[in-house]
Amino acid sequence: MTRFWSWQTAVTNLRREGIAESHIRLVGDVMYDAALFYGERAEARSRILDRLGLVPKSYILGTVHRAENTDDPSRLRAIFGGPAQVADEVPVVLPLHPRTRKALEQQGLLSRMSEHVRLIDPVGYLDMVRLERNARLIATDSGGVQKEAFFYRVPCVTVRDETEWVELVELGWNRIVRPTGARDVAEGVRAGLDTIGKSGEPYGSGEAARRIAEALCEGVPKWPGQTKL
């Protein structure tokens, strides 16, 4: 198991900047808190799977929006060509960002992709969370979606040249697939299907908000009868 998480890098950087040890609190990532909180609500309230006729763990969820991918015709063709090759084996659902839709239209790819990949309009937060939680695999160029995939323990393929979250690659939950060609992307997606990464908690245990509040309240006078937050 990898032992060097992103939060350890953050703590090390604070020390190098001369921040006193007594002023550093290792609390975790509030994004994980939010993912756990809203994940349960999405399962209870979102009806996106029913509306789309999707069976949990039977589809690939894709998202593409970064300018480096949408504004480069060769990368755009590779990113969409890969899932199109895999879609006959596993259905691919892709909420289409306005920038991406425009780029596909400009390249004359929109109608062709619609024949293979299920392109849908952008969805709300709870619907997106439910799609993420129940995907068999997520293919994305989003920084946030990579982490959310890990929070819900869904394997992820990142169609970029690099990732901010190297710890997820080290754990085996995420893999980098450079969009150099449709075949490369398709092979990367196939290789990522049903991947089970290593265990670990690089972003804490889901109690970052509480720990932050406790740290902020240290030394603050308590009202009569108060014992804890």
Side-chain angles (χ1 to χ4, degrees):
M1 181 189 302
T2 182
R3 295 292 181 183
F4 197 66
W5 308 119
S6 59
W7 50 259
Q8 288 176 303
T9 302
V11 168
T12 299
N13 288 339
L14 289 172
R15 289 171 178 155
R16 288 173 177 169
E17 291 175 11
I19 304 300
E21 197 73 29
S22 61
H23 291 174
I24 299 175
R25 298 288 189 277
L26 182 58
V27 297
D29 191 331
V30 293
M31 187 176 175
Y32 187 31
D33 296 25
L36 295 177
F37 181 86
Y38 286 107
E40 294 180 1
R41 280 150 184 77
E43 289 297 323
R45 301 178 185 178
S46 171
R47 298 292 177 265
I48 187 72
L49 298 189
D50 296 332
R51 293 202 305 271
L52 298 179
L54 296 173
V55 176
K57 302 303 178 182
S58 70
Y59 62 91
I60 294 169
L61 175 66
T63 76
V64 181
H65 76 279
R66 299 179 80 91
E68 67 194 64
N69 288 329
T70 61
D71 297 354
D72 184 322
S74 64
R75 292 172 73 97
L76 187 70
R77 290 176 183 274
I79 289 171
F80 277 87
Q85 293 182 19
V86 178
D88 290 338
E89 306 160 30
V90 185
V92 179
V93 177
L94 200 152
L96 202 54
H97 190 283
R99 175 197 288 145
T100 311
R101 178 179 292 276
K102 182 178 180 180
L104 289 172
E105 290 174 342
Q106 290 175 339
Q107 296 299 318
L109 297 173
L110 185 60
S111 59
R112 190 187 312 172
M113 288 301 103
S114 299
E115 296 175 1
H116 303 281
V117 177
R118 188 168 182 180
L119 304 177
I120 64 174
D121 291 334
V123 298
Y125 179 65
L126 290 182
D127 284 344
M128 187 63 182
V129 167
R130 189 144 196 241
L131 286 171
E132 290 173 350
R133 281 174 58 104
N134 290 281
R136 183 174 170 186
L137 177 135
I138 295 174
T140 186
D141 63 4
S142 165
V145 173
Q146 294 175 53
K147 289 176 70 176
E148 288 170 343
F150 172 74
F151 295 155
Y152 302 131
R153 298 305 191 267
V154 175
C156 183
V157 170
T158 297
V159 283
R160 285 169 55 188
D161 297 325
E162 60 186 3
T163 179
E164 305 90 335
W165 318 116
V166 293
E167 59 271 15
L168 301 184
V169 176
E170 293 172 1
L171 281 173
W173 285 100
N174 190 6
R175 65 181 60 222
I176 304 299
V177 177
R178 294 178 175 84
T180 54
R183 179 179 297 179
D184 295 332
V185 174
E187 290 177 353
V189 169
R190 289 190 182 99
L193 286 170
D194 305 319
T195 297
I196 302 297
K198 301 174 184 177
S199 61
E201 292 185 344
Y203 306 113
S205 58
E207 297 182 337
R210 178 183 62 79
R211 292 177 177 175
I212 290 170
E214 289 176 346
L216 292 173
C217 289
E218 284 182 8
V220 176
K222 297 181 175 62
W223 58 81
Q226 180 186 3
T227 58
K228 61 180 181 179
L229 290 176

